[in-house]
Amino acid sequence: MARDERGVTPQSEDFSAWYNELVFRAELVDRGPVRGTMVIRPYGYRIWELLQADLDRRIKETGHVNAYFPLLIPESYLQREAEHVEGFAPELAVVTHAGGKDLEEPLVIRPTSETVVGEMMAKWISSHRDLPMLLNQWANVVRWELRPRMFLRTTEFLWQEGHTAHADSAEAMAETMLALTFYRELAAEAAAIPAIAGEKTASERFAGAERTFTIEAMMRDGRALQAGTSHYLGTNFATAFGIRYTAESGVLEPCYTTSWGMSSRMIGGVIMTHGDDKGLVLPPALAPCQVVIVPIGGGDRAADVQQAARDLAARLSRKDIRVHVDDRPQLSPGFKFNDWELRGVPIRLELGPRELASGTAVMVSRLGDQGADDQGTGGPGRAGGPGRAGGPGRVGGRKTELSLDSAVARISYELSAFQAMLLQRATEFRDARTATVNSWPAFTEAVATGWALALHCGRPSCEEDIKAQTGATARCIPLEGEPDSGTCVRCGLPSAYGTRVLFGRAY
Ligand SMILES: [Zn+2]
C-alpha cells in the first residue's frame, strides 16, 4: 500500500484490519516471498534489537552464557522423545534433498533445539562439577504455519531459547521460575505489558515438558497473547539423550533440564497492547526513535531553524535519547506529524522561527492529554491537563511549550512518565476486562470481550468443550491466584488446582 495521509483503518472499527495494515504502513515488516514468511524491516528490527539487548542482559546477569547450535537437526533426534516429535510433527519442515541427491537421513529445520542441545549436553556433562549448565541461544526457528499473521504466527521467527541442565529437580524448577521472571519483568519494564504469569494446564503444555509456565498478555481487543514460556522438562530429555552425571557418591544420575523461550511475537504484543486508532504507540524503552524533531518553515531563517534542530538532537543524543530530525524538504509538517504518530514515536518536538526566537520548542506527546483515548477505561489524566485538547485530533496531543535550555532534563522525565503511563493504562484496561465468574452465562459474557477467572475441574475434555462453545482456552493457572475451590464453571464437577484458572480467547 502506498504511503499517504489516510492512515490506517481505525482500531475501534476493525481490530484485525487495523493490525494487518499497520504492520506494513509503519514499515515494521514486509511479506517474504515464501508464504508465511516475514521480512523484518529496519524499523521493526530495531525494536527487536532493543528487546533482545534487554533480555540478553538479564540472561547473562544470572550466569547464563550464549552459544549457537545448528539449524539442521537429524530427523531421528526428534523421534527420541515421543511426545516431542508428536507435538511438532505437523509443523516440521524437512530437508530430503541436498548436494544434488536424496539424503540418506532427512534433516529437520529446527522448530526448537531441545534435541540437538540434549545431544551435546550428553557429550559435555560427565560429572557434578559440570553442573549446572546454563546455555542460551539467539536463533531463528521454522514451524510451518498455515494461518500466518505478521509477528504472531510466521513460518520462520526469531527468538532466544534457554537450555539448562541441573543435578536435581528443585534446582531445575527454580531455574524454570527464574526464566519466567525474566519474561514477566521484560514485558512490564521494557514493553509496558502487564502480563499474568502462570502454569499451563496439561492440554496446553509444551510437547515433552512435565510443567509449562507462561506469561499471558491482554491485547486491546480483549484477546490473550502468550508472550513467553518456560518449561520444566524433568528427566524426559535427559533420558532420551543420555544427559547424565556422576554424583559425588559415584553413582550415575540423570540430569533435570529446562528450556524457555521469548520470540519476535512480543513485538506483535507491543503493537496490540498500546496501539490506537492513529497507529502504533511505542513504549520509550523499545522505540527506535523516542523523540522526533520537525523543523517548520522558517523563510529566511530556515537554515537557523535546521541548525537549532540538529543542535537539540545532538544534546539529546549525548544523553542516550534516541532522536531523529525529520528534515525531509518535500513533505508538509502535517504529513510528518501523521507519519510519526502512525509509527508510534513517543514525543514530537516542533521547532519554527517563532519558537527559536523565544528559545523554546513545542512538545507533543503521542499519548495526548491523558494517554487513555478511546478505551473507556478512564486513565488518570496527567496532572493539570486541561482535558481533551481541542483541535482535529489527527495531529493529536496537547501542545506544551518546552524551554530549549532545559529540554534534555524535561524530555528524559517525559519519556519515563510516558513509559509508566503506558504500563498503568494497560494494567487498568486488563483489570477492567477481567471478570471473576461463577456461572456459565457470566463466563461466556466475560470471554466475549476479555478474560474470565473461573474454577475448573481440570479435565482436558471439559477444556475442549469450553473451547468449542466459546473459543476460549485455559490461558494459565495464575501463580498469584488466591486459594479457591468449589465446582467447575462448565461441568459442575469439583474444581482442581486449588485456585481459579484464567480463560480467554487467544492469538
Ligand atoms: Zn469441568
Side-chain angles (χ1 to χ4, degrees), residues 455-459 462-463 466 488-494:
L455 292 169
H456 190 260
C457 63
R459 293 182 306 133
C462 185
E463 280 182 45
I466 289 175
C488 175
V489 72
R490 177 63 186 154
C491 70
L493 287 174

Side-chain angles (χ1 to χ4, degrees), residues 465-479:
D465 180 39
I466 289 175
K467 187 176 182 184
Q469 298 295 325
T470 64
T473 49
R475 302 318 306 152
C476 68
I477 307 154
L479 294 177

